Amino acid sequence: MNDTITSSSPAFVRRSGGFYSSPLLALRGLAAFAFVLAALLDFKNTIDLLVWFFSIYVFFDGAYALAVAAGHSPGSTLNRIAIAFKGVIGILAGIVAISLFLRGGSMTTILLTVFVWVALAGVIEGVWVFKMVKNKELLLIVGSGAYLALAVALQFMFAVAPSEGTAVYNWIIIGFSAAFGLGMLIMSWLLRRSMMA
């Protein structure tokens, strides 16, 4: 049986178990913008806010991915494993981030935990979409690749940020979160539009 999804978006969503549903993508985007707003209102505590927003987000996202892998039919066994692995690393990343924060871990270590998760999640989602999707949903591949590229770029920037102070980290985090949120909302809109076509 061919696991490749064609340009039929409703079929794609059904086969993905909601892994790439329009509402879930929109929720990701709104959560990112909620963090941006909170960080701008309390700029000095951006790192603290990041830890809690990130942890809540990855716990939810991880639990959802595990539920999808266990309760739906996302395709082959390999696809199930990939989705389950994404869920596990998300939950672990949340636990690590909270543990580092509560134990007084360095800002760099906490941020690298966040962006390592972003990079791994981007790779998993990108590979999964690449194998499963054709035509209209190609935009989802672009979306996954975009935030993976951002993660790599931001990790490079961290090499120079320590000498510039905490404010640089804060603006990098806020900028990344805004870009991620916008990307998720655009992907949600494109998927919803293609489903209505």
Side-chain angles (χ1 to χ4, degrees):
M1 181 177 178
N2 188 354
D3 285 333
T4 302
I5 303 301
T6 63
S7 61
S8 172
S9 295
F12 172 69
V13 174
R14 285 196 301 273
R15 291 288 300 280
S16 72
F19 191 49
Y20 263 116
S21 67
S22 177
L24 181 60
L25 291 170
L27 184 60
R28 289 180 179 183
L30 292 174
F33 277 112
F35 165 73
V36 169
L37 179 60
L40 290 173
L41 292 173
D42 193 6
F43 187 77
K44 291 182 179 179
N45 291 314
T46 296
I47 297 296
D48 296 6
L49 291 168
L50 173 69
V51 171
W52 294 111
F53 267 83
F54 172 76
S55 299
I56 292 169
Y57 173 81
V58 292
F59 285 147
F60 171 81
D61 191 67
Y64 183 87
L66 291 175
V68 166
H72 297 279
S73 299
S76 68
T77 301
L78 185 60
N79 291 328
R80 283 180 179 269
I81 292 171
I83 294 171
F85 181 66
K86 178 180 179 290
V88 170
I89 63 171
I91 292 171
L92 288 177
I95 292 171
V96 170
I98 289 177
S99 298
L100 287 171
F101 177 72
L102 294 177
R103 294 179 182 182
S106 71
M107 186 188 315
T108 303
T109 306
I110 292 171
L111 291 177
L112 286 176
T113 299
V114 174
F115 290 110
V116 164
W117 174 83
V118 171
L120 288 175
V123 168
I124 293 168
E125 292 185 7
V127 170
W128 188 84
V129 172
F130 182 76
K131 289 181 63 178
M132 297 290 286
V133 177
K134 286 183 179 178
N135 302 329
K136 293 179 182 178
E137 285 76 27
L138 182 62
L139 292 167
L140 296 177
I141 299 175
V142 175
S144 294
Y147 75 79
L148 173 59
L150 276 170
V152 173
L154 289 169
Q155 288 179 43
F156 174 77
M157 291 174 69
F158 290 152
V160 298
S163 62
E164 301 298 327
T166 305
V168 173
Y169 279 112
N170 291 355
W171 284 118
I172 289 173
I173 293 165
I174 290 170
F176 172 80
S177 300
F180 177 82
L182 181 61
M184 292 297 104
L185 290 176
I186 290 172
M187 289 167 66
S188 173
W189 178 77
L190 289 171
L191 182 57
R192 182 176 177 82
R193 183 182 177 188
S194 65
M195 288 177 66
M196 296 174 65

